[in-house]
Amino acid sequence: MFDDDAADRPLSPETVAVHAGRADLAALGVHAAPIDLSSTNPLPDILHGGDSYESMANGGHPLPDGGNVYARLWNPTVARFEEGLAELEHAEAAVAFSSGMAATTAAILAHTTAAGKHHIVAVRPLYGGTDHLLDSALLGAQTTFCTEDEVHAHLRPDTGLVVVETPGNPTLDLVDIAAVVAQAGDVPVLVDNTFATPMLQNPLDLGATMSLHSATKYIGGHGDVIAGVIACSEETAQALRRVRAITGALLHPLGAYLLHRGLATLPLRVERQQRSAERVVAWLGEHPGVSEVFYPGIGDTRGLVGTQMRGGGAMLAIRLRDGYAAAEALTGSVRLFTHAVSLGGVDSLVQHPAALTHRPVAAEARPGADIVRLSIGLEDPEDLIADLSRALARVSAAVG
Ligand SMILES: *Cc1c(COP(=O)(O)O)cnc(C)c1O
């Protein structure tokens, strides 16, 4: 962010979150980041415009004397958000996309079919959409699904990518990133870091090649932007930008502006939401209608909280003693929690993964019908607990 960083102590993530991606603003004479909506840009002359075009079409940066040419190749508002996210992830670069799934698609294309490889190894459980994309082989690569200990055993000469998600969706399973990276050897590892956010976990520090976020969730944090972003090395970013330039799954600059603005409050939101989640988890653990609580660091999620992850986060799931009927009664009875898919926003959400987010997952890997997932927002946790208490009382009335 500042040239003399190395001379001083490293800046705290809270400080980086406020300042990153804003280095050019003072020279522009502005305090808030401008939103650049130009779809095209005036060319200085044919030669320099053409050279800049070629640089960006190959995944590079615009050339200083050639300009940004066309917004499918480069947009300054998007680039500022990418710079901010990259700093929070301890990465050289980040590449933003129109959705989390577009980001996953670009990562798959760049490392498999576009790289002459046709096989992926993926550790389940994964977000339902990711599982569906891999299982469908829609992008021309076949996926072998396995547990985290079986990654090495399933590698093939044509394996181009290893995919993991931790905490996993929806049961918050944790995968040991460093152990998977060691098994993967030379094969790049993609970690879906959506649930943890850069505040709680930095996969690149553990050897992962890419840290992917559905920025729709915590990064945006307000439920009003669909976006994806991948933090990685500059070399990997070039391969991803090339796919983005060719296929066109761009993040719109208005979305990028909101995401960049949201970064400033990400540390505070995650810290507070996590504290509330811990309170809700403790309360749910005592409730007779709940037979199991899934949250990083409790149950069989082992010792990765405090080492790999700096905290358990603000996502949790519960298994209801009275099964699907109880899930239906609960999702229909809450008032403060909105019954909706998605997660990571300032308001709390509840949803039924088997019927919704994980509907396309193969039956043997689909979560149980008695599981409900909760995303804890910024409300007072005592109000959330009162809401759950009332709704769970309705559940016992409904199922008798
Ligand atoms: C939502 C989600 C995605 C997909 O992101 P979109 O922005 O909806 O395309 C991927 N991974 C995880 C863990 C998610 O929660």
Side-chain angles (χ1 to χ4, degrees), residues 99-101 127 130 165 169 192 194-195 214 216-217 227 343:
S99 70
M101 292 315 300
Y127 170 68
T130 309
E165 181 178 312
N169 199 339
D192 188 326
T194 300
F195 275 32
S214 167
T216 311
K217 317 294 168 51
L343 60 107

Side-chain angles (χ1 to χ4, degrees), residues 169-172 284 290 292-294 315-321 323-332 334 337-340 349-357 367-375 388 392 395:
N169 199 339
T171 41
L172 290 306
L284 285 167
V290 176
E292 191 173 357
V293 181
F294 304 92
M315 292 300 298
L316 61 112
I318 51 177
R319 192 187 296 283
L320 292 158
R321 201 170 293 285
Y324 179 75
E328 191 158 62
L330 175 68
T331 53
V334 281
F337 283 83
T338 299
H339 179 198
L349 304 177
V350 60
Q351 70 109 10
H352 187 263
L356 290 140
T357 48
D370 52 355
I371 290 178
V372 164
R373 192 188 75 183
L374 294 93
S375 171
L388 289 171
L392 285 166
V395 166

Side-chain angles (χ1 to χ4, degrees), residues 301-317:
T301 53
R302 300 170 308 161
L304 291 169
V305 176
T307 53
Q308 171 171 296
M309 276 186 95
R310 291 183 283 277
M315 292 300 298
L316 61 112

